[in-house]
Amino acid sequence: MDEKKPLISIIVPVYNVEDYIEECLESLVKQTYKNLEIILIDDGSTDNSGEICDDYVLKDTRIKCFHQINQGVGAARNKGLEVAEGELIGFVDPDDYCDLEMFLEMYKSMKEDEADIVCCRWITINRGLISGVSGYEFAEQKKILSNLDMAEFYVQSMDWPVWNKLLKKNVVKSIKFPEIRYNEDFFTVFQWLYNASKIVYINKPLYNYRILRKGSITENRDTVLMKNTLALEQLKLFEKN
C-alpha cells in the first residue's frame, strides 16, 4: 500500500450482478491509486454474486465483504459508510467499472485544489456498446466551483450520480441515503454539495456506466418516473426544513 496517500474507502452495493461484478472488481484492484479499502455490501444476492465477492476477499487484503438480507441499495451504501475507515469516500455500482487511473486523478485534483468534492464525466454503455460521454461539459480541463455554483448546475443538468465523485469524509458526515427499494441519489448528493466549500469538476470520463442491462431498474420506464417523483418529494422536504 502507498502509505503516503490517504486511505480511500470505495463502497460497492452488490445485488444479483454475477455477470458484471468481476469486471467491476478487477477495475478496482488494478487502480493505480493503491491505498484503497474496497467495501462490498452483498445485499442478499440470490445468484453467485456473494460467492464471487468472498473469493475476491481471499485474493486481495484491501477487500472487505459484508452480507446482509436484501434491504435495497440505500441501506447497503449506508452500511458501507458505517464501516468505512478512509479519509476519502467513493462509490461504485457493481455492474459498472472504472478507468484504472480514476481515483489517482481525482485524488490529485482534490489535493492540488484543496477541494472537498471532485467529480468526473463518464462513458455511457448501452447494451454493451458505448453510446456517448455524459456529465458536465466545458472547454477547460477542469472547473473549480463553489457549492452554490455546483448546486445551480446540478439542478439544471441532472448530474446526480454518487459514483462519479470522490468526497472528503467530513462532507458526507452523518448524511444517510434514503432506505427505499429504489434509492434516489438526488437528495443525498444535494446535501453533500451543501456541506462542501469547493468542488472540482474534471473534464474527463473516468467511469463507465452501464445502462439497460438485463435486470437493471433503468430498464423500467415506470421505475424511472417513480424515482423522479421521489426526488421531487425529497427536494420539497429539504426546502421545508
Side-chain angles (χ1 to χ4, degrees), residues 70-135:
N70 180 247
Q71 300 173 58
V73 64
R77 286 174 175 159
N78 288 337
K79 174 63 177 179
L81 287 171
E82 285 176 17
V83 300
E85 298 179 3
E87 298 173 49
L88 309 177
I89 303 290
F91 295 88
V92 172
D93 279 357
D95 50 350
D96 301 334
Y97 57 98
C98 304
D99 185 289
L100 299 186
E101 300 283 337
M102 177 174 173
F103 288 99
L104 180 60
E105 291 210 24
M106 296 181 87
Y107 168 69
K108 284 181 177 177
S109 290
M110 180 172 279
K111 184 179 180 181
E112 289 171 4
D113 299 305
E114 298 181 339
D116 299 306
I117 301 175
V118 178
C119 313
C120 68
R121 303 185 71 202
W122 64 91
I123 294 170
T124 300
I125 301 172
N126 187 340
R127 302 189 189 277
L129 299 175
I130 295 175
S131 62
V133 177
S134 301

Side-chain angles (χ1 to χ4, degrees), residues 43-88:
D43 190 42
S45 296
T46 56
D47 63 2
N48 293 318
S49 298
E51 289 82 355
I52 295 170
C53 290
D54 288 337
D55 288 342
Y56 269 84
V57 170
L58 299 176
K59 294 178 184 178
D60 195 315
T61 57
R62 298 174 298 172
I63 300 177
K64 302 174 182 178
C65 183
F66 300 85
H67 300 274
Q68 63 182 30
I69 60 172
N70 180 247
Q71 300 173 58
V73 64
R77 286 174 175 159
N78 288 337
K79 174 63 177 179
L81 287 171
E82 285 176 17
V83 300
E85 298 179 3
E87 298 173 49
L88 309 177

Side-chain angles (χ1 to χ4, degrees), residues 85-211:
E85 298 179 3
E87 298 173 49
L88 309 177
I89 303 290
F91 295 88
V92 172
D93 279 357
D95 50 350
D96 301 334
Y97 57 98
C98 304
D99 185 289
L100 299 186
E101 300 283 337
M102 177 174 173
F103 288 99
L104 180 60
E105 291 210 24
M106 296 181 87
Y107 168 69
K108 284 181 177 177
S109 290
M110 180 172 279
K111 184 179 180 181
E112 289 171 4
D113 299 305
E114 298 181 339
D116 299 306
I117 301 175
V118 178
C119 313
C120 68
R121 303 185 71 202
W122 64 91
I123 294 170
T124 300
I125 301 172
N126 187 340
R127 302 189 189 277
L129 299 175
I130 295 175
S131 62
V133 177
S134 301
Y136 192 4
E137 187 173 0
F138 47 90
E140 305 95 314
Q141 289 187 340
K142 63 181 176 181
K143 267 190 181 295
I144 298 175
L145 305 158
S146 69
N147 57 357
L148 293 178
D149 292 334
M150 186 64 186
E152 181 180 0
F153 157 73
Y154 176 69
V155 172
Q156 292 174 350
S157 69
M158 298 177 67
D159 183 0
W160 301 355
V162 301
W163 35 251
N164 72 326
K165 296 170 176 65
L166 180 66
L167 309 107
K168 289 185 177 177
K169 197 171 188 178
N170 66 318
V171 169
V172 178
K173 294 182 178 178
S174 59
I175 296 169
K176 299 291 186 182
F177 288 90
E179 296 189 2
I180 52 181
R181 175 61 65 178
Y182 297 115
N183 181 58
E184 180 51 63
D185 299 333
F186 179 94
F187 187 55
T188 305
V189 176
F190 202 84
Q191 290 178 89
W192 291 346
L193 298 178
Y194 182 80
N195 286 340
S197 297
K198 186 187 291 187
I199 298 127
V200 173
Y201 208 111
I202 302 173
N203 190 5
K204 186 174 183 180
L206 297 171
Y207 189 91
N208 297 278
Y209 171 55
R210 203 187 306 268
I211 63 171

Side-chain angles (χ1 to χ4, degrees), residues 10-28:
I10 302 174
I11 298 168
V12 186
V14 178
Y15 180 72
N16 287 358
V17 284
E18 62 181 8
D19 293 335
Y20 307 98
I21 186 63
E22 290 190 55
E23 185 174 21
C24 174
L25 294 178
E26 285 296 313
S27 77
L28 295 179

